[in-house]
Amino acid sequence: MITQNIVFIGAGNMARALIAGLRLQGVTGEQIQVHAPSIVHRDALAEEFGIRSLPAAAQRLPTNSVVIYAAKPKQISSVLALWRQVFADAGVLFLSVAAGVGSARIAAELDAGSAIVRSMPNTPAQVGAGATALYARDSVNTAQRQTAAAIMSSVGQIYWLSDELLMDAVTALSGSGPAYVLLFLEALEDAAVLQGLDRPTARALALQTVLGTAQMAAASVLSPTELRHQVTSPGGTTAAGLAAWEEHLRPLAQRALAAAAERSRALGGAKKDVP
Ligand SMILES: NC(=O)C1=CN([C@@H]2O[C@H](COP(=O)(O)OP(=O)(O)OC[C@H]3O[C@@H](n4cnc5c(N)ncnc54)[C@H](OP(=O)(O)O)[C@@H]3O)[C@@H](O)[C@H]2O)C=CC1
Ligand SMILES: O=C(O)[C@@H]1CCC=N1
């Protein structure tokens, strides 16, 4: 059970997904505060989820609080300068979801010994189906690791990384991945409409096919390749469709993940805020 005070810096898509997931899992509104420059955005979240809106950077926090950084990577230096003071308080944990920003850079901008966990969640967190990778610096104690794990587990599956360098690959896969799947859904829907289906039927069938297949793969001991073979009769319709996918899909996936990982490395490279 999560009993800590949790403060979100940022009131955008990722903060919203995590707050929704945490509230769904029974974290109380009293435990959660959200800060963002826009009063409209932070008050909208406060009202929707029954949490507290924080107008400025906190100066003190209760022992064992967690500060979740959910603003953009490019703002992190200026934000840390304002929030640095709260990390002098006992046990305050800094949990970042910022793409690309390495924990060593965060440590350099807070006190060197600050407890910092870097993570990469994804937006299915908003329905409790997130995938989050976590990396803890040596300064993070066991209780703090458990807290970070409990927060992210409350919105889906978690995976600890022992090598922080892998975070760029994770960001390219599961962090950005929901957008790839949604683009795939759009493409399937559009293609089905071209084949004569009406749009609502095309959307519903495409969505249930992706959902059902993911559930089947998650429940099965067979590999995706073995399950694919079960669908594919020799000389049948699937084989005809797969031939078209096979020609482009694997090289495309490699290019897409390489480009996203490269962007992750670039986002983290800046020592100071950059556009
Ligand atoms: N979206 C995603 O799928 C994922 C995003 N991430 C990471 O999550 C983080 C947030 O991304 P996302 O939610 O998409 O971005 P959004 O643009 O939706 O939200 C960014 C939020 O940061 C706030 N902000 C801007 N400046 C400050 C500041 N000085 N102090 C406090 N808050 C500030 C904005 O405030 P205001 O409301 O006032 O404009 C806004 O609420 C990023 O670091 C991203 O890399 C990680 C995994 C997945
Ligand atoms: O596009 C981005 O930068 C963020 C990080 C992972 C998903 N969205």
Side-chain angles (χ1 to χ4, degrees):
M1 192 166 97
I2 298 165
T3 55
Q4 284 85 351
N5 184 50
I6 302 172
V7 181
F8 281 86
I9 301 176
N13 295 311
M14 202 61 236
R16 190 181 182 288
L18 290 170
I19 292 166
L22 287 167
R23 291 289 284 123
L24 209 63
Q25 291 302 312
V27 175
T28 68
E30 275 299 297
Q31 282 174 258
I32 304 176
Q33 290 171 278
V34 62
H35 168 71
S38 159
I39 186 174
V40 174
H41 293 166
R42 63 172 196 266
D43 281 4
L45 281 190
E47 188 171 341
E48 182 178 0
F49 295 107
I51 63 176
R52 289 179 290 160
S53 170
L54 189 63
Q59 295 305 307
R60 284 198 68 89
L61 288 173
T63 305
N64 295 331
S65 292
V66 183
V67 176
I68 300 184
Y69 182 82
K72 292 292 190 191
K74 67 183 179 186
Q75 289 141 355
I76 197 162
S77 291
S78 55
V79 170
L80 290 182
L82 292 176
W83 286 76
R84 198 169 182 273
Q85 181 56 38
V86 298
F87 296 94
D89 294 337
V92 175
L93 173 67
F94 185 84
L95 175 54
S96 172
V97 304
V101 181
S103 68
R105 178 176 158 204
I106 298 169
E109 297 188 18
L110 297 174
D111 282 327
S114 301
I116 297 162
V117 172
R118 178 180 169 192
S119 71
M120 179 46 55
N122 63 12
T123 51
Q126 63 190 273
V127 291
T132 302
L134 295 145
Y135 172 79
R137 287 179 71 76
D138 289 347
S139 51
V140 178
N141 66 34
T142 304
Q144 289 167 327
R145 275 180 77 101
Q146 286 168 347
T147 298
I151 289 172
M152 291 308 186
S153 295
S154 76
V155 294
Q157 301 297 315
I158 65 161
Y159 310 85
W160 282 101
L161 298 180
S162 53
D163 179 356
E164 188 177 0
L165 288 176
L166 295 174
M167 203 56 101
D168 298 311
V170 165
T171 302
L173 174 60
S174 51
S176 300
Y180 313 152
V181 175
L182 291 164
L183 179 62
F184 183 64
L185 274 175
E186 289 173 50
L188 285 181
E189 177 185 321
D190 289 346
V193 168
L194 283 179
Q195 289 300 315
L197 289 182
D198 65 75
R199 195 161 282 281
T201 305
R203 181 170 299 181
L205 284 174
L207 179 61
Q208 184 55 31
T209 300
V210 170
L211 185 66
T213 306
Q215 284 176 344
M216 176 178 72
S220 177
V221 293
L222 300 179
S223 69
T225 307
E226 290 166 319
L227 288 170
R228 174 162 59 81
H229 287 151
Q230 289 182 353
V231 191
T232 314
S233 315
T237 61
T238 313
L242 279 176
W245 286 113
E246 278 286 359
E247 191 184 346
H248 297 292
L249 198 59
R250 290 177 201 276
L252 206 55
Q254 287 169 17
R255 270 176 45 208
L257 265 66
E262 179 55 32
R263 183 63 188 143
S264 173
R265 286 186 281 274
L267 285 174
K271 294 277 185 296
K272 290 288 168 201
D273 293 353
V274 291

